[in-house]
Amino acid sequence: MSSTEAGTAATVDRRVGPNLVPEHTRDTPVVAERIFGVMGSTGHLLVVVERGAGEDPVQTAARAEWLLDEAQERLAQLEQRWSRFVPTSEVSALNRAEGVALTVSSDTLELLARCVQAWRSTGGLFDPSVHDAMLR
């Protein structure tokens, strides 16, 4: 996936080659960020990568970009599982199931456990079961 397909990508330290990087910045971590649309909102990823011993700054920047790609891909996977706007998502299937037991991924089980935990800890102020009311 190219950076244009993946959204905007910015790496703070874009200088390349050991001779182009001032000595005092050679041990400075590379900070990379990406802002993109996900789950009906704006995702903002930020990674900080320490340079390995003797590692070229270009290699460090490439590792940072790889981490951004992996994180963005993971969020896209979760969106396909969890979005109520994706008809084939597990959440959409649960909404259609009307109480019938379904097999879902461990990610979705974790999501549901966290939703129940949030519902309990807020005394019901957070209520993930309002789907039908939102559709009226």
Side-chain angles (χ1 to χ4, degrees):
M1 157 176 13
S2 73
S3 61
T4 45
E5 292 171 338
T8 58
T11 303
V12 173
D13 187 349
R14 288 212 181 263
R15 292 168 289 194
V16 295
N19 295 328
L20 299 176
V21 179
E23 189 65 40
H24 69 280
T25 63
R26 288 193 183 164
D27 294 328
T28 303
V30 169
V31 178
E33 72 178 322
R34 185 171 297 158
I35 299 170
F36 58 99
V38 65
M39 296 190 190
S41 189
T42 302
H44 187 174
L45 298 172
L46 185 68
V47 297
V48 179
V49 180
E50 298 286 337
R51 291 200 176 126
E55 183 177 51
D56 185 282
V58 175
Q59 292 172 313
T60 309
R63 284 193 301 126
E65 290 298 321
W66 178 82
L67 288 169
L68 288 173
D69 290 344
E70 290 293 307
Q72 185 172 355
E73 183 178 319
R74 178 69 172 138
L75 289 171
Q77 290 171 349
L78 293 175
E79 180 174 33
Q80 291 305 302
R81 281 197 179 123
W82 295 345
S83 176
R84 70 183 182 95
F85 302 108
V86 175
T88 57
S89 77
E90 292 177 1
V91 166
S92 291
L94 287 167
N95 286 333
R96 286 190 305 271
E98 298 180 353
V100 175
L102 294 178
T103 301
V104 295
S105 66
S106 59
D107 289 327
T108 300
L109 281 176
E110 179 69 22
L111 172 70
L112 295 173
R114 300 274 177 134
C115 286
V116 169
Q117 182 182 30
W119 175 75
R120 285 183 179 142
S121 68
T122 64
L125 294 176
F126 173 80
D127 187 353
S129 68
V130 299
H131 175 262
D132 291 342
M134 291 175 59
L135 297 179
R136 290 184 198 146

